Amino acid sequence: SDYEQLGYNLRSNIWQGGPLKSRSVTKDSYTPDVFKKAVIEPRHWHGRTINELGRWYEKYFLDLNTAKAMKEKYG
Protein backbone atom coordinates (compact mmCIF):
# COMPACT_ATOMS: atom_id res chain seq x y z
CA SER A 1 0.00 0.00 0.00
CA ASP A 2 1.00 3.66 -0.19
CA TYR A 3 1.43 3.80 3.57
CA GLU A 4 3.88 0.87 3.56
CA GLN A 5 5.78 2.41 0.63
CA LEU A 6 6.10 5.71 2.50
CA GLY A 7 7.32 3.87 5.60
CA TYR A 8 9.89 1.99 3.52
CA ASN A 9 11.19 5.25 2.01
CA LEU A 10 11.49 6.83 5.44
CA ARG A 11 13.26 3.80 6.91
CA SER A 12 15.74 3.51 4.06
CA ASN A 13 16.39 7.29 4.01
CA ILE A 14 15.80 7.75 0.28
CA TRP A 15 14.92 11.40 0.84
CA GLN A 16 18.15 12.95 2.03
CA GLY A 17 16.67 16.34 2.88
CA GLY A 18 17.99 19.77 1.98
CA PRO A 19 21.61 20.74 1.51
CA LEU A 20 23.68 21.15 4.66
CA LYS A 21 25.14 24.44 3.45
CA SER A 22 22.66 27.01 2.18
CA ARG A 23 23.53 29.42 -0.60
CA SER A 24 22.23 32.89 -1.31
CA VAL A 25 22.01 34.73 -4.61
CA THR A 26 22.88 37.96 -2.80
CA LYS A 27 26.01 36.50 -1.23
CA ASP A 28 27.02 34.89 -4.54
CA SER A 29 26.53 38.16 -6.45
CA TYR A 30 28.61 40.49 -4.28
CA THR A 31 32.12 40.35 -2.89
CA PRO A 32 32.54 40.07 0.91
CA ASP A 33 33.69 43.70 1.28
CA VAL A 34 30.20 44.92 0.28
CA PHE A 35 28.71 43.28 3.37
CA LYS A 36 31.48 44.58 5.61
CA LYS A 37 30.85 48.17 4.45
CA ALA A 38 27.06 47.90 4.79
CA VAL A 39 25.57 49.74 7.74
CA ILE A 40 22.19 48.63 9.04
CA GLU A 41 20.26 51.55 10.41
CA PRO A 42 16.86 50.61 11.86
CA ARG A 43 15.51 54.17 11.68
CA HIS A 44 16.06 54.32 7.92
CA TRP A 45 13.95 51.88 5.95
CA HIS A 46 14.26 51.87 2.13
CA GLY A 47 14.88 55.60 1.93
CA ARG A 48 12.10 56.54 4.34
CA THR A 49 12.53 57.30 7.98
CA ILE A 50 10.17 55.99 10.63
CA ASN A 51 8.75 59.48 11.10
CA GLU A 52 7.77 59.74 7.44
CA LEU A 53 6.14 56.31 7.55
CA GLY A 54 4.34 57.21 10.75
CA ARG A 55 2.93 60.39 9.25
CA TRP A 56 1.83 58.52 6.11
CA TYR A 57 0.02 55.87 8.19
CA GLU A 58 -1.66 58.54 10.32
CA LYS A 59 -3.04 60.20 7.18
CA TYR A 60 -4.01 56.84 5.68
CA PHE A 61 -5.97 55.68 8.72
CA LEU A 62 -7.54 59.10 9.18
CA ASP A 63 -8.77 58.85 5.58
CA LEU A 64 -10.09 55.32 6.18
CA ASN A 65 -11.91 56.37 9.34
CA THR A 66 -13.37 59.43 7.63
CA ALA A 67 -14.61 57.34 4.71
CA LYS A 68 -16.14 54.81 7.12
CA ALA A 69 -17.89 57.56 9.10
CA MET A 70 -19.25 59.18 5.91
CA LYS A 71 -20.55 55.83 4.72
CA GLU A 72 -22.27 55.15 8.05
CA LYS A 73 -23.81 58.65 8.19
CA TYR A 74 -24.88 59.09 4.56
CA GLY A 75 -25.06 55.49 3.36
Side-chain angles (χ1 to χ4, degrees):
S1 72
D2 292 338
Y3 182 76
E4 291 173 0
Q5 185 67 30
L6 177 63
Y8 170 76
N9 289 336
L10 291 173
R11 284 192 304 276
S12 59
N13 198 15
I14 290 176
W15 298 306
Q16 299 295 322
L20 296 176
K21 183 179 178 185
S22 63
R23 297 187 55 123
S24 165
V25 174
T26 305
K27 287 186 178 179
D28 290 344
S29 300
Y30 297 103
T31 57
D33 64 319
V34 171
F35 297 105
K36 290 177 185 172
K37 292 178 187 175
V39 176
I40 298 172
E41 188 173 333
R43 295 192 53 76
H44 193 266
W45 181 75
H46 292 286
R48 295 183 178 172
T49 61
I50 298 299
N51 293 338
E52 289 173 356
L53 283 175
R55 282 193 294 272
W56 185 87
Y57 274 107
E58 283 179 8
K59 291 178 185 177
Y60 175 71
F61 285 114
L62 180 65
D63 183 51
L64 282 180
N65 291 337
T66 305
K68 184 178 175 183
M70 294 285 284
K71 187 175 181 180
E72 287 176 0
K73 186 171 184 177
Y74 297 112

Coordinates of all heavy atoms in Angstrom, one line a residue:
S1 N 0.8 -1.2 0.0 CA 0.0 0.0 0.0 C 0.9 1.3 0.0 O 2.1 1.2 0.2 CB -0.9 0.0 1.2 OG -0.2 0.2 2.4
D2 N 0.3 2.4 -0.2 CA 1.0 3.7 -0.2 C 1.6 3.9 1.2 O 2.7 4.4 1.3 CB 0.1 4.8 -0.6 CG -0.4 4.8 -2.0 OD1 0.3 4.1 -2.8 OD2 -1.4 5.4 -2.3
Y3 N 0.9 3.6 2.2 CA 1.4 3.8 3.6 C 2.7 3.0 3.8 O 3.7 3.5 4.3 CB 0.4 3.4 4.6 CG 0.8 3.7 6.0 CD1 0.8 5.0 6.5 CD2 1.2 2.6 6.8 CE1 1.2 5.2 7.8 CE2 1.6 2.9 8.1 CZ 1.6 4.2 8.6 OH 2.0 4.4 9.9
E4 N 2.7 1.7 3.4 CA 3.9 0.9 3.6 C 5.0 1.4 2.7 O 6.2 1.4 3.1 CB 3.5 -0.6 3.2 CG 2.6 -1.2 4.2 CD 2.2 -2.6 3.7 OE1 2.6 -3.0 2.7 OE2 1.4 -3.2 4.5
Q5 N 4.7 1.9 1.5 CA 5.8 2.4 0.6 C 6.4 3.7 1.2 O 7.6 3.8 1.2 CB 5.2 2.7 -0.8 CG 6.2 3.2 -1.8 CD 7.2 2.1 -2.1 OE1 6.9 0.9 -2.1 NE2 8.4 2.4 -2.5
L6 N 5.6 4.5 1.8 CA 6.1 5.7 2.5 C 7.0 5.3 3.7 O 8.1 5.9 3.9 CB 4.9 6.6 3.0 CG 5.3 7.9 3.7 CD1 6.1 8.8 2.8 CD2 4.1 8.6 4.3
G7 N 6.5 4.3 4.5 CA 7.3 3.9 5.6 C 8.7 3.3 5.1 O 9.7 3.5 5.8
Y8 N 8.6 2.6 4.0 CA 9.9 2.0 3.5 C 10.9 3.1 3.1 O 12.0 3.1 3.4 CB 9.6 1.1 2.3 CG 10.8 0.7 1.6 CD1 11.7 -0.3 2.1 CD2 11.2 1.3 0.4 CE1 12.8 -0.7 1.4 CE2 12.3 0.9 -0.3 CZ 13.1 -0.1 0.2 OH 14.3 -0.5 -0.4
N9 N 10.3 4.1 2.4 CA 11.2 5.2 2.0 C 11.8 6.0 3.2 O 12.9 6.4 3.2 CB 10.4 6.2 1.1 CG 10.1 5.6 -0.2 OD1 10.8 4.7 -0.7 ND2 9.0 6.1 -0.8
L10 N 11.0 6.1 4.3 CA 11.5 6.8 5.4 C 12.5 6.0 6.2 O 13.5 6.5 6.7 CB 10.3 7.2 6.4 CG 9.4 8.2 5.9 CD1 8.2 8.4 6.8 CD2 10.1 9.6 5.7
R11 N 12.3 4.7 6.2 CA 13.3 3.8 6.9 C 14.6 3.7 6.2 O 15.6 3.6 6.7 CB 12.7 2.4 7.1 CG 11.6 2.3 8.2 CD 11.3 0.9 8.5 NE 10.9 0.1 7.3 CZ 9.6 0.1 6.9 NH1 8.7 0.8 7.5 NH2 9.3 -0.6 5.8
S12 N 14.5 3.7 4.8 CA 15.7 3.5 4.1 C 16.4 4.8 3.7 O 17.4 4.9 3.1 CB 15.5 2.7 2.8 OG 14.5 3.4 2.0
N13 N 15.8 6.0 4.2 CA 16.4 7.3 4.0 C 16.7 7.6 2.5 O 17.7 8.1 2.2 CB 17.7 7.4 4.8 CG 18.0 8.9 5.1 OD1 17.2 9.8 4.8 ND2 19.2 9.2 5.5
I14 N 15.7 7.4 1.7 CA 15.8 7.8 0.3 C 15.8 9.3 0.1 O 16.6 9.8 -0.7 CB 14.7 7.1 -0.5 CG1 14.9 5.6 -0.6 CG2 14.6 7.7 -1.9 CD1 13.8 4.8 -1.3
W15 N 15.0 9.9 0.9 CA 14.9 11.4 0.8 C 16.0 12.0 1.8 O 15.9 11.9 3.0 CB 13.5 11.9 1.2 CG 12.5 11.4 0.3 CD1 12.5 11.5 -1.0 CD2 11.3 10.7 0.7 NE1 11.4 10.9 -1.6 CE2 10.6 10.4 -0.5 CE3 10.8 10.3 1.9 CZ2 9.4 9.7 -0.6 CZ3 9.6 9.6 1.8 CH2 8.9 9.3 0.7
Q16 N 17.0 12.5 1.2 CA 18.2 13.0 2.0 C 17.9 14.3 2.7 O 18.7 14.7 3.6 CB 19.4 13.0 1.1 CG 19.8 11.7 0.5 CD 20.2 10.7 1.6 OE1 20.8 11.1 2.5 NE2 19.8 9.5 1.4
G17 N 16.9 15.0 2.3 CA 16.7 16.3 2.9 C 17.4 17.4 2.1 O 18.0 17.2 1.0
G18 N 17.4 18.6 2.6 CA 18.0 19.8 2.0 C 19.5 19.8 2.1 O 20.1 19.0 2.8
P19 N 20.2 20.7 1.4 CA 21.6 20.7 1.5 C 22.0 21.2 2.9 O 21.3 22.0 3.6 CB 22.0 21.8 0.5 CG 20.8 22.6 0.3 CD 19.6 21.7 0.5
L20 N 23.2 20.8 3.3 CA 23.7 21.1 4.7 C 24.2 22.6 4.7 O 24.1 23.3 5.7 CB 24.8 20.2 5.1 CG 24.4 18.7 5.3 CD1 25.6 17.9 5.6 CD2 23.4 18.6 6.4
K21 N 24.7 23.1 3.5 CA 25.1 24.4 3.5 C 24.2 25.2 2.5 O 24.1 24.8 1.4 CB 26.6 24.5 2.9 CG 27.2 25.8 2.9 CD 28.6 25.8 2.4 CE 29.1 27.2 2.3 NZ 30.5 27.3 1.7
S22 N 23.6 26.2 3.0 CA 22.7 27.0 2.2 C 23.4 28.1 1.4 O 24.5 28.6 1.8 CB 21.6 27.7 3.0 OG 22.2 28.6 3.9
R23 N 22.9 28.4 0.2 CA 23.5 29.4 -0.6 C 22.5 30.5 -0.9 O 21.3 30.3 -0.8 CB 24.0 28.8 -1.9 CG 25.0 27.7 -1.7 CD 25.6 27.2 -3.0 NE 26.1 28.4 -3.8 CZ 27.3 28.5 -4.2 NH1 28.2 27.5 -3.9 NH2 27.7 29.5 -4.9
S24 N 23.1 31.7 -1.1 CA 22.2 32.9 -1.3 C 22.7 33.6 -2.6 O 23.8 33.7 -2.9 CB 22.4 33.8 -0.1 OG 21.9 35.1 -0.4
V25 N 21.7 34.0 -3.4 CA 22.0 34.7 -4.6 C 22.7 36.0 -4.3 O 23.6 36.5 -5.0 CB 20.7 35.0 -5.4 CG1 21.0 35.9 -6.6 CG2 20.1 33.7 -5.9
T26 N 22.3 36.7 -3.2 CA 22.9 38.0 -2.8 C 24.3 37.7 -2.4 O 25.2 38.5 -2.9 CB 22.1 38.6 -1.6 OG1 20.8 38.7 -1.9 CG2 22.7 39.9 -1.2
K27 N 24.6 36.7 -1.6 CA 26.0 36.5 -1.2 C 26.9 36.0 -2.4 O 28.1 36.3 -2.5 CB 26.1 35.5 -0.1 CG 25.6 36.0 1.2 CD 25.8 35.0 2.3 CE 25.3 35.7 3.6 NZ 25.5 34.7 4.7
D28 N 26.3 35.3 -3.4 CA 27.0 34.9 -4.5 C 27.3 36.0 -5.5 O 28.2 36.0 -6.3 CB 26.3 33.8 -5.3 CG 26.3 32.5 -4.5 OD1 27.1 32.4 -3.5 OD2 25.5 31.6 -4.8
S29 N 26.4 37.1 -5.5 CA 26.5 38.2 -6.4 C 27.5 39.2 -6.0 O 28.0 40.0 -6.9 CB 25.2 38.8 -6.7 OG 24.2 37.9 -7.1
Y30 N 27.8 39.4 -4.7 CA 28.6 40.5 -4.3 C 29.9 39.9 -3.6 O 29.9 38.8 -3.1 CB 27.9 41.4 -3.3 CG 26.7 42.1 -3.9 CD1 25.4 41.6 -3.6 CD2 26.8 43.2 -4.7 CE1 24.3 42.3 -4.2 CE2 25.7 43.8 -5.3 CZ 24.5 43.4 -5.0 OH 23.4 44.0 -5.6
T31 N 30.9 40.7 -3.6 CA 32.1 40.3 -2.9 C 31.9 40.6 -1.4 O 31.1 41.4 -1.0 CB 33.3 41.1 -3.4 OG1 33.0 42.5 -3.3 CG2 33.6 40.8 -4.9
P32 N 32.7 39.9 -0.5 CA 32.5 40.1 0.9 C 32.7 41.5 1.4 O 32.1 41.9 2.4 CB 33.6 39.2 1.5 CG 33.9 38.2 0.4 CD 33.7 38.9 -0.9
D33 N 33.5 42.3 0.8 CA 33.7 43.7 1.3 C 32.4 44.5 1.2 O 32.3 45.5 2.0 CB 34.8 44.4 0.5 CG 34.5 44.6 -0.9 OD1 33.9 43.7 -1.6 OD2 34.8 45.7 -1.5
V34 N 31.5 44.2 0.3 CA 30.2 44.9 0.3 C 29.4 44.7 1.6 O 28.9 45.7 2.1 CB 29.4 44.4 -0.9 CG1 28.0 45.0 -0.9 CG2 30.0 44.8 -2.2
F35 N 29.4 43.5 2.1 CA 28.7 43.3 3.4 C 29.4 43.9 4.6 O 28.8 44.3 5.5 CB 28.5 41.8 3.6 CG 27.7 41.2 2.5 CD1 28.3 40.4 1.5 CD2 26.3 41.4 2.4 CE1 27.5 39.8 0.5 CE2 25.6 40.8 1.4 CZ 26.2 40.1 0.4
K36 N 30.7 44.0 4.5 CA 31.5 44.6 5.6 C 31.2 46.1 5.7 O 31.2 46.7 6.7 CB 33.0 44.3 5.5 CG 33.3 42.9 5.7 CD 34.8 42.6 5.5 CE 35.1 41.1 5.6 NZ 36.5 40.9 5.2
K37 N 31.1 46.7 4.5 CA 30.8 48.2 4.5 C 29.4 48.5 4.8 O 29.1 49.7 5.1 CB 31.2 48.7 3.1 CG 32.7 48.6 2.7 CD 32.9 49.2 1.3 CE 34.3 49.0 0.8 NZ 34.5 49.4 -0.6
A38 N 28.5 47.6 4.6 CA 27.1 47.9 4.8 C 26.8 48.3 6.2 O 27.2 47.6 7.2 CB 26.2 46.7 4.4
V39 N 26.0 49.3 6.4 CA 25.6 49.7 7.7 C 24.1 49.6 7.8 O 23.3 50.1 7.0 CB 25.9 51.2 8.0 CG1 25.4 51.7 9.3 CG2 27.4 51.4 7.8
I40 N 23.6 48.8 8.8 CA 22.2 48.6 9.0 C 21.7 49.7 10.0 O 22.2 49.7 11.2 CB 21.9 47.2 9.6 CG1 22.4 46.2 8.6 CG2 20.4 47.1 9.9 CD1 22.3 44.8 9.1
E41 N 20.8 50.5 9.6 CA 20.3 51.6 10.4 C 18.8 51.3 10.5 O 18.0 51.5 9.6 CB 20.5 52.9 9.8 CG 20.2 54.0 10.7 CD 20.6 55.4 10.2 OE1 21.6 55.5 9.5 OE2 19.9 56.4 10.6
P42 N 18.3 50.9 11.7 CA 16.9 50.6 11.9 C 15.9 51.8 11.7 O 14.8 51.6 11.3 CB 16.8 50.1 13.3 CG 18.0 50.6 14.0 CD 19.0 50.8 12.9
R43 N 16.4 53.0 11.8 CA 15.5 54.2 11.7 C 15.4 54.6 10.2 O 14.6 55.5 9.9 CB 16.0 55.3 12.5 CG 15.9 55.1 14.0 CD 16.2 56.3 14.9 NE 15.3 57.4 14.5 CZ 14.0 57.5 14.8 NH1 13.4 56.5 15.5 NH2 13.3 58.5 14.5
H44 N 16.1 54.0 9.3 CA 16.1 54.3 7.9 C 15.7 53.1 7.2 O 16.4 52.1 7.1 CB 17.4 54.8 7.4 CG 17.3 55.5 6.1 ND1 17.6 54.8 5.0 CD2 17.0 56.8 5.8 CE1 17.4 55.7 3.9 NE2 17.1 56.8 4.4
W45 N 14.5 53.1 6.6 CA 13.9 51.9 5.9 C 13.6 52.2 4.5 O 12.7 52.9 4.2 CB 12.7 51.4 6.7 CG 12.1 50.2 6.1 CD1 12.5 48.9 6.3 CD2 10.9 50.1 5.4 NE1 11.7 48.1 5.7 CE2 10.7 48.8 5.1 CE3 10.0 51.1 4.9 CZ2 9.6 48.4 4.3 CZ3 8.9 50.6 4.1 CH2 8.7 49.3 3.9
H46 N 14.4 51.7 3.6 CA 14.3 51.9 2.1 C 14.1 53.3 1.8 O 13.2 53.7 1.0 CB 13.1 51.1 1.6 CG 13.3 49.6 1.7 ND1 14.1 48.9 0.8 CD2 12.8 48.7 2.5 CE1 14.1 47.6 1.1 NE2 13.4 47.4 2.2
G47 N 14.9 54.2 2.3 CA 14.9 55.6 1.9 C 13.9 56.4 2.7 O 13.8 57.6 2.5
R48 N 13.1 55.8 3.6 CA 12.1 56.5 4.3 C 12.4 56.4 5.8 O 12.7 55.3 6.3 CB 10.7 56.0 4.1 CG 10.2 56.2 2.7 CD 8.8 55.7 2.5 NE 8.4 56.0 1.2 CZ 7.2 55.5 0.7 NH1 6.5 54.8 1.4 NH2 6.9 55.8 -0.5
T49 N 12.3 57.4 6.5 CA 12.5 57.3 8.0 C 11.2 56.9 8.7 O 10.2 57.0 8.1 CB 13.0 58.6 8.6 OG1 12.0 59.6 8.4 CG2 14.3 59.1 8.0
I50 N 11.3 56.4 9.9 CA 10.2 56.0 10.6 C 9.2 57.1 10.8 O 8.0 56.9 10.7 CB 10.6 55.5 12.0 CG1 11.5 54.3 11.9 CG2 9.4 55.1 12.9 CD1 10.9 53.1 11.2
N51 N 9.7 58.4 10.9 CA 8.7 59.5 11.1 C 7.9 59.7 9.9 O 6.7 60.0 9.9 CB 9.5 60.8 11.4 CG 10.2 60.7 12.8 OD1 9.7 59.9 13.6 ND2 11.2 61.5 13.0
E52 N 8.5 59.6 8.7 CA 7.8 59.7 7.4 C 6.7 58.6 7.3 O 5.6 58.9 6.9 CB 8.7 59.7 6.2 CG 9.6 60.9 6.1 CD 10.6 60.8 5.0 OE1 10.7 59.7 4.4 OE2 11.3 61.8 4.8
L53 N 7.1 57.4 7.6 CA 6.1 56.3 7.5 C 5.0 56.5 8.6 O 3.8 56.2 8.2 CB 6.8 55.0 7.8 CG 7.7 54.4 6.7 CD1 8.4 53.1 7.1 CD2 6.8 54.1 5.5
G54 N 5.4 57.0 9.7 CA 4.3 57.2 10.8 C 3.3 58.3 10.3 O 2.1 58.1 10.5
R55 N 3.8 59.3 9.7 CA 2.9 60.4 9.2 C 2.1 59.9 8.1 O 0.9 60.2 8.1 CB 3.7 61.6 8.8 CG 4.2 62.5 9.9 CD 4.7 63.8 9.4 NE 5.9 63.7 8.6 CZ 7.1 63.7 9.1 NH1 7.3 63.8 10.4 NH2 8.2 63.6 8.3
W56 N 2.6 59.1 7.2 CA 1.8 58.5 6.1 C 0.7 57.6 6.7 O -0.4 57.7 6.2 CB 2.7 57.7 5.2 CG 2.0 57.2 4.0 CD1 1.8 57.9 2.8 CD2 1.3 56.0 3.8 NE1 1.1 57.1 1.9 CE2 0.8 55.9 2.5 CE3 1.1 54.9 4.7 CZ2 0.0 54.9 2.1 CZ3 0.4 53.8 4.2 CH2 -0.1 53.8 2.9
Y57 N 1.0 56.8 7.6 CA 0.0 55.9 8.2 C -1.0 56.6 8.9 O -2.2 56.3 8.9 CB 0.7 54.8 9.1 CG 1.1 53.6 8.3 CD1 2.5 53.4 8.1 CD2 0.2 52.7 7.8 CE1 2.9 52.3 7.4 CE2 0.6 51.6 7.1 CZ 1.9 51.4 6.9 OH 2.3 50.3 6.2
E58 N -0.7 57.7 9.6 CA -1.7 58.5 10.3 C -2.7 59.1 9.3 O -3.9 59.0 9.5 CB -1.0 59.7 11.1 CG -0.3 59.3 12.3 CD 0.4 60.5 13.0 OE1 0.2 61.6 12.5 OE2 1.1 60.3 14.0
K59 N -2.2 59.6 8.2 CA -3.0 60.2 7.2 C -3.9 59.1 6.5 O -5.1 59.3 6.3 CB -2.2 60.9 6.1 CG -1.6 62.2 6.6 CD -0.7 62.8 5.5 CE 0.0 64.0 6.0 NZ 0.9 64.6 5.0
Y60 N -3.3 57.9 6.3 CA -4.0 56.8 5.7 C -5.2 56.4 6.5 O -6.3 56.2 6.1 CB -3.0 55.7 5.4 CG -3.7 54.4 4.9 CD1 -4.2 54.4 3.6 CD2 -3.8 53.3 5.6 CE1 -4.7 53.3 3.1 CE2 -4.4 52.2 5.2 CZ -4.9 52.1 3.9 OH -5.4 51.0 3.4
F61 N -4.9 56.2 7.8 CA -6.0 55.7 8.7 C -7.0 56.8 9.0 O -8.2 56.5 9.2 CB -5.4 55.1 10.0 CG -4.8 53.7 9.8 CD1 -3.4 53.5 10.0 CD2 -5.6 52.7 9.4 CE1 -2.9 52.3 9.8 CE2 -5.0 51.4 9.2 CZ -3.7 51.2 9.4
L62 N -6.6 58.0 9.0 CA -7.5 59.1 9.2 C -8.5 59.1 8.0 O -9.7 59.3 8.1 CB -6.8 60.4 9.3 CG -7.7 61.7 9.5 CD1 -8.5 61.6 10.8 CD2 -6.9 62.9 9.4
D63 N -7.9 58.9 6.8 CA -8.8 58.8 5.6 C -9.7 57.7 5.6 O -10.9 57.8 5.3 CB -7.9 58.8 4.4 CG -8.7 58.8 3.1 OD1 -9.5 59.7 2.9 OD2 -8.5 57.9 2.2
L64 N -9.2 56.5 6.1 CA -10.1 55.3 6.2 C -11.2 55.5 7.2 O -12.4 55.2 6.9 CB -9.3 54.1 6.6 CG -8.4 53.4 5.5 CD1 -7.7 52.2 6.2 CD2 -9.3 52.9 4.4
N65 N -10.9 56.1 8.3 CA -11.9 56.4 9.3 C -12.9 57.4 8.9 O -14.1 57.3 9.2 CB -11.3 56.8 10.7 CG -10.5 55.7 11.3 OD1 -10.8 54.5 11.1 ND2 -9.5 56.0 12.1
T66 N -12.5 58.4 8.2 CA -13.4 59.4 7.6 C -14.3 58.8 6.6 O -15.5 59.1 6.6 CB -12.6 60.6 7.0 OG1 -11.7 61.1 7.9 CG2 -13.5 61.7 6.5
A67 N -13.8 58.0 5.7 CA -14.6 57.3 4.7 C -15.6 56.4 5.4 O -16.8 56.4 4.9 CB -13.7 56.6 3.7
K68 N -15.2 55.7 6.4 CA -16.1 54.8 7.1 C -17.2 55.6 7.8 O -18.4 55.2 7.7 CB -15.4 54.0 8.2 CG -16.2 53.0 8.9 CD -15.3 52.2 9.9 CE -16.1 51.3 10.7 NZ -15.3 50.6 11.7
A69 N -16.9 56.7 8.4 CA -17.9 57.6 9.1 C -18.9 58.2 8.1 O -20.1 58.2 8.4 CB -17.2 58.7 9.9
M70 N -18.3 58.6 7.0 CA -19.2 59.2 5.9 C -20.2 58.1 5.4 O -21.4 58.4 5.2 CB -18.4 59.7 4.8 CG -17.6 60.9 5.1 SD -18.5 62.4 5.3 CE -18.8 62.8 3.6
K71 N -19.7 56.9 5.2 CA -20.5 55.8 4.7 C -21.6 55.5 5.7 O -22.8 55.2 5.4 CB -19.7 54.6 4.4 CG -20.5 53.5 3.7 CD -19.6 52.3 3.3 CE -20.3 51.3 2.6 NZ -19.5 50.1 2.3
E72 N -21.3 55.5 7.0 CA -22.3 55.2 8.1 C -23.3 56.3 8.2 O -24.5 56.0 8.3 CB -21.6 55.0 9.4 CG -20.8 53.7 9.5 CD -20.1 53.6 10.9 OE1 -20.2 54.5 11.7 OE2 -19.4 52.5 11.1
K73 N -22.9 57.5 8.0 CA -23.8 58.6 8.2 C -24.7 58.8 7.0 O -25.9 59.0 7.1 CB -23.0 59.9 8.5 CG -23.9 61.1 8.8 CD -23.1 62.3 9.3 CE -24.1 63.4 9.7 NZ -23.4 64.5 10.3
Y74 N -24.1 58.8 5.8 CA -24.9 59.1 4.6 C -25.2 57.9 3.7 O -25.9 58.0 2.7 CB -24.1 60.1 3.7 CG -23.9 61.4 4.4 CD1 -22.6 61.8 4.8 CD2 -24.9 62.3 4.7 CE1 -22.4 63.0 5.5 CE2 -24.7 63.5 5.4 CZ -23.5 63.8 5.7 OH -23.3 65.0 6.4
G75 N -24.7 56.7 4.1 CA -25.1 55.5 3.4 C -24.4 55.3 2.1 O -23.8 55.3 1.3

